[in-house]
Structure formats: structure tokens, C-alpha cells
């Protein structure tokens, strides 16, 4: 697809090293799993560079000598408007190259996972019944399923993704797992100025399977805002529920002995500046520091919900249907007043459909998927459905050190620097799995090759920003995300880049790599300040995480599609328990916040229902 010529040009392949010959095949396998528009964009960029080579030299890249390819790239790089496009083209090439050059170490023998009652959609009957159907098996869906099943309800969980075992994670390279565990192969994006990559998980366990394992409690001031400003009074009971979730996930401060050099350097730099910092609290007792959290923990240490919550739900009778995309919520209109939930209709991979009839439907498909589901179901009429999208815009910076850092050995997200947290900036030492670069290296050709060969001496810091909700989720059958970065949030990102540079220089970095194509490196803090003058957030390599708020709960019926107890307005029997129910940005990694919200919504629902129920077998 991309061609050996492009890979050879970008990585200065002279034909002398065997691993480079494997990169094009690895790259094509990776790209084949991505959505069609992404593949088309990469192909178009590759074709354009090849056409330029023909115009420049009369031959395509594959037919040029290494020196001639270097000349072509140098000519392209001399055109400032083309540099960002070339940088984007480098991303998949670097992922494939790093995978072949730095294979993951062999995983230890994985423990046996707790049992789950999973049935592939192809084996599930076309018609079934249940007391409650939960759409989505991630953080919110798992807690909702467990809470309802413990109360004696017959619960069925629908999951569009598949069930992946801990043992399966250790058998494949991280990049190969990446495309299976993420929606759109990890290429979900928010359209806007600037566009943001917004990866979300799709598997039994949802994004908890592929998050960092970092577990922050919802800050008190956020809870106060949700309750007092938005009328989401369930937030008042979060502290006790957060305690329960922490016990379930076995959350604890990460010990120093597995932080890895990347995390220790962040601690050292922050300490020399006198900044507040420390090892992060995580749901990973016995972590071995394999640095593969975001592609499925191969040791079973990270307590994703398919290991910690769903087994308990299944032990109380819940069942999970995998590979089922929920098309719509079924409604009963043959009664006075608003319609009532009557179940769901879902589609199997082969196109056939199934129905599960139920008087209670819990939407936990995530902040990007729940609004389209509601629209497909005729329940998206509230003016704020899909609006109020909050994310954590993020960027990263690298520091080069004299001694090896080998950032992929140790905890993936290890140290938190909270000095600027009261200004909405949270800095975390975040490395990448073996063979997956989390940072876009500068240069092309021989310069890029040198950077790749010295990647083991780079320490990586990432920063995420507590944003002003500036996004919207559109669409019915396919989600379209639009997001506008608020100018004040853009200023926070620039502050974060400088702050990360200060930490790295304080830790002893020889230079800081900014990830900015036209200002790629600085060797002193004054030089970094000078480079950042005139740089805007759209010059950064930005991504975003933790979408929330698109079916926000609150007391104001004009502003909140869900009421103060998480019940969808305009219908009876529909609860919202994923991140979309959060009224605004939680300002921290949100897993605990989502799980506490799901617990609050479902417990409150049960308190209002008759104590005696007749469960219906599915």
C-alpha cells in the first residue's frame, strides 16, 4: 500500500539491515485494519511524494539510490507548508519500524482469567428476554451490570467488540493488538481546528482494557461544581462510592521499584524544581512494568473491568453477548404518557439481527456512541444530546539523556506532576509499549534514522488539559465528532509544553524535543522559550482522551438530556451510566469517576423500584 520506496526514503534504508526489510509488510498490515478514509489519505500522500520524486528526478522513490531519495526528501522538507504533512506520514511508518526494531519481550505465563459468561452474537438466539439490558461493557456498563445483577435482576450485557484473554495479549506484538482493541483501529478523530486523534477502546471491558491504569479520585471541587452548578446531586455521595470502586479495583500507589527510569526522571526533575509530584495511584497490584497497558496487560496485573467487575456480575447471573452492535432501543408507545423502553435490537457481524426484550435499558456505549444510539432510537430529540463534549486535549515532549532511559521498561504511566493542576494542567510521565513510539521524532531520512536509533535515551512526558466543553457528537449510523479548542485551553497547552521542558532540563536532559516540526529541539530553557514564541497549539502534535458529557445529567431540563438521577428524559426505563452522563470535564483520568457515577445511577434506580421482582431468564 505505502510502498517500499516511501519507507526506504523516510528511514534511510540502504538495504543493509534485515529488520528494515520487514517494515513495509508490517506497515501494510497495520494500515489495512484502519478505516478506509485513513488508508486513502496515507495512500494519497504516498502517491503525491512519489509523483514529486518523478518530477524531481524522473524516477519513483523505489528506483532511486539512498542518496537520491535523501535529496528528494530534503527538497520537500525545504517547503514549510509540507513539513506537517510529512510528519503525519511518518507516524504509521515509525510505529511499524519501532515494532520491528524493538520487539516486545516474551510475556511471562499469564494467570488464568476469572470466568465470564460470554456468548458470541452468532450463537445467541434471535429473540430473548431479560430484566435489564446494558449496552456496553466498559467502566460504566460493567458497574451497572454488577449492581443490577447483585440485586437479583436477569442482566444481559451487549458488547460490540470481542472478548480478549490475558493470555492472548502475550502472544502478539503490541501494534497488532492495537488495531483489534480500539475502535477504528485507534484512528477515531475529532474534526476541527486543530483536528484531534481521539482513541477509544472496543472490547469486553471497553476502554479499561487499553487505558493506563491510572486511578484518580474525582476532585472535590469538581464534585461541588457538578452538584451545585449542574444539579447532579448524586455527586454528593461519590466519596463513599469511590471508596468502593477503589477496593474493587485494588487501587494503590505504584511502588518505586517498577516505575522505570522514565518515571524516576520525572520525579527527579520535579523534585529539583520543588514541584508537587509522586508515583501515580493505579489499579495494577503486582505490576511487572511491561509497559503495555494501552494494548492489554499481558500479565493480568491491571484490574480492567473484565477481570475485576464483570466476573462478579456474571457470578450473579449476568450474561455477555459479544460481537453485537446495538442498532436501536425498542420502545413501547402503547401506554399513556411517555414511551417506555422495551428492549434492544442488535446486529451480528454477518448482518443478521437479534432482539432482547426488557423493561430497562442501560446505555453505556461511551460518550461518542451513546448519542448516535439515542438518535437511531428516536430518543435524540433533546437539544443538548451530543453537545457539551469534553475531552482532555494532550501533547507530549521528550528529553534526551546521556544514559539509556529505555522508557518502554517500567510502568507506562508512572509519575504524576500536579504542580499546575489547579490551573487545569496535569503532567504525567507516559512512555509507550515496546515497539510503539508515543512521540513523533524529528527529521527525515538519515536524520530520522539517527533519532530512531537513539530513542532508548529519550524520556517522555505528556500533559492533558482540563478543557471547556467545546465538542459535539453528530451522526446516527456513524459517529462524527467535531471539536473546537478554546483559546484559553490552547494557552494551557503551550504552558504545559514549557513546564514539561523545565522538568526534563531539571532532570538533566541534554536537549528537549518539542514534537513541533518547525521548532523541533531546544538545548536550554531560554532556547525553548524562544522557540515557543510565535508557536500556536495547532503547531503541536495533539491528541485527546476521555470523552465525556454528551448526555449530561442535571436538574435543568433545558440543559441536561438526563435528569439529576441519570435517567434519560422523555422516556421511561432508560438509564445513562457511561462518561456521557458526567456534567463536565472531570479534570483527571476519569475511570473512577465513571464507575462511581454508574454505581450512583443504578443504586438510586434500585432504591426507587419495588423490592420484589420476578426475574426473566434470558
Amino acid at each position: 500500500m505505502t510502498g517500499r520506496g516511501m519507507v526506504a526514503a523516510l528511514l534511510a534504508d540502504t538495504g543493509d539491515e534485515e529488520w528494515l526489510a520487514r517494515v513495509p509488510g508490517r506497515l501494510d498490515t497495520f494500515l489495512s485494519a484502519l478505516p478506509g478514509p485513513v488508508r486513502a489519505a496515507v495512500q494519497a500522500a504516498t502517491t503525491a511524494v512519489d509523483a514529486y520524486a518523478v518530477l524531481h528526478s524522473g524516477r519513483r522513490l523505489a528506483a532511486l539510490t539512498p542518496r537520491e531519495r535523501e535529496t528528494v526528501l530534503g527538497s520537500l522538507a525545504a517547503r514549510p507548508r509540507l513539513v506537517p504533512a510529512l510528519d503525519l506520514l511518518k507516524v504509521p511508518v515509525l510505529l511499524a519500524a519501532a515494532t520491528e526494531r524493538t520487539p516486545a519481550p516474551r510475556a511471562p505465563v499469564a494467570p488464568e482469567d476469572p470466568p465470564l459468561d460470554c456468548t458470541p452474537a452468532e450463537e445467541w438466539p434471535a429473540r430473548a428476554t431479560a430484566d435489564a439490558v446494558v449496552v456496553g461493557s466498559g467502566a460504566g456498563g460493567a458497574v451497572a451490570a454488577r449492581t443490577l445483577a447483585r440485586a437479583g435482576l436477569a442482566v444481559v450485557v451487549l458488547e460490540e467488540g470481542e472478548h480478549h484473554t490475558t493470555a492472548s495479549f502475550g502472544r502478539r506484538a503490541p501494534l497488532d493488538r492495537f488495531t483489534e482493541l480500539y475502535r477504528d483501529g485507534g484512528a477515531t478523530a475529532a474534526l476541527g481546528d486543530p483536528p484531534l486523534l481521539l482513541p477509544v477502546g472496543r472490547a469486553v471491558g471497553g476502554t479499561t482494557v487499553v487505558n493506563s491504569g491510572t486511578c484518580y479520585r474525582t476532585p472535590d471541587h469538581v464534585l461541588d461544581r457538578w452538584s451545585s452548578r449542574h444539579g447532579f446531586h448524586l455527586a454528593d455521595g461519590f466519596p463513599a462510592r469511590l471508596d468502593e470502586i477503589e477496593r474493587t479495583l485494588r487501587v494503590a500507589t505504584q511502588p518505586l521499584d517498577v516505575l522505570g527510569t522514565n518515571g524516576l526522571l520525572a520525579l527527579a526533575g520535579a523534585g529539583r524544581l520543588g514541584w508537587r509530584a509522586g508515583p501515580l495511584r493505579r489499579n495494577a497490584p503486582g505490576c511487572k512494568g511491561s509497559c503495555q497497558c494501552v494494548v492489554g496487560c499481558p500479565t493480568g496485573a491491571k484490574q480492567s473491568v473484565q477481570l475485576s467487575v464483570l466476573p462478579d456480575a456474571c457470578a450473579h447471573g449476568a450474561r455477555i453477548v459479544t460481537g453485537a452492535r446495538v442498532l436501536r432501543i425498542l420502545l413501547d408507545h402503547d401506554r399513556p404518557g411517555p414511551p417506555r423502553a422495551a428492549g434492544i435490537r442488535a446486529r451480528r457481524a454477518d448482518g443478521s439481527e437479534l432482539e432482547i426484550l426488557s423493561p430497562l435499558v442501560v446505555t453505556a456505549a461511551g460518550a461518542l456512541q451513546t448519542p448516535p444510539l439515542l438518535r437511531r432510537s428516536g430518543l435524540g430529540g433533546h437539544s443538548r444530546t451530543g453537545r457539551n463534549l469534553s475531552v482532555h486535549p494532550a501533547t507530549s515532549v521528550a528529553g534526551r539523556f546521556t544514559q539509556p532511559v529505555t522508557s518502554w521498561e517500567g510502568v507506562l504511566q508512572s509519575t504524576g506532576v500536579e504542580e499546575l493542576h489547579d490551573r487545569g494542567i496535569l503532567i504525567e510521565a507516559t512512555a509507550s509499549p515496546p515497539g510503539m513510539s508515543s512521540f513523533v521524532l524529528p527529521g527525515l531520512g538519515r536524520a530520522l534514522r539517527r533519532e530512531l536509533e537513539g530513542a532508548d535515551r529519550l524520556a517522555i512526558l505528556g500533559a492533558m488539559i482540563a478543557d471547556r466543553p467545546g465538542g459535539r457528537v453528530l451522526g446516527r449510523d456513524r459517529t462524527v465528532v467535531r471539536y473546537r479548542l478554546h483559546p484559553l485551553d490552547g494557552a494551557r497547552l503551550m504552558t504545559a509544553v514549557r513546564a514539561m521542558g523545565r522538568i526534563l532540563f531539571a532532570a538533566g536532559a541534554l536537549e528537549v524535543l518539542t514534537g513541533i516540526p518547525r521548532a523541533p529541539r531546544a538545548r536550554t530553557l531560554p532556547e525553548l522559550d524562544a522557540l515557543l514564541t510565535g508557536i500556536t497549539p495547532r503547531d503541536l502534535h495533539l491528541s485527546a482522551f476521555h470523552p465525556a458529557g454528551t448526555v449530561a445529567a442535571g436538574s435543568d431540563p433545558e440543559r441536561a438530556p438526563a435528569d439529576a438521577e441519570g435517567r434519560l428524559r422523555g422516556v421511561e426505563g432508560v438509564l445513562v451510566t457511561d462518561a456521557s452522563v458526567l456534567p463536565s470535564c472531570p479534570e483527571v483520568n476519569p475511570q473512577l469517576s465513571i464507575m462511581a457515577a454508574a454505581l450512583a445511577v443504578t443504586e438510586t434506580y434500585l432504591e426507587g423500584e419495588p423490592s420484589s421482582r420476578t426475574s426473566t431468564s434470558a
Side-chain angles (χ1 to χ4, degrees), residues 223-243:
L223 295 177
D224 291 342
R225 181 173 69 241
W226 288 351
S227 181
S228 62
R229 186 182 304 176
H230 298 277
F232 182 49
H233 300 302
L234 293 182
D236 297 337
F238 264 39
R241 291 180 169 113
L242 289 168
D243 291 342

Side-chain angles (χ1 to χ4, degrees), residues 123-139:
E123 301 175 15
W124 189 265
R127 178 69 66 91
T129 59
D131 294 330
V133 173
V134 179
V135 183
S137 66

Side-chain angles (χ1 to χ4, degrees), residues 605-618:
Y605 167 81
L606 290 170
E607 290 169 1
E609 289 294 293
S611 58
S612 60
R613 297 181 181 84
T614 301
S615 294
T616 306
S617 173

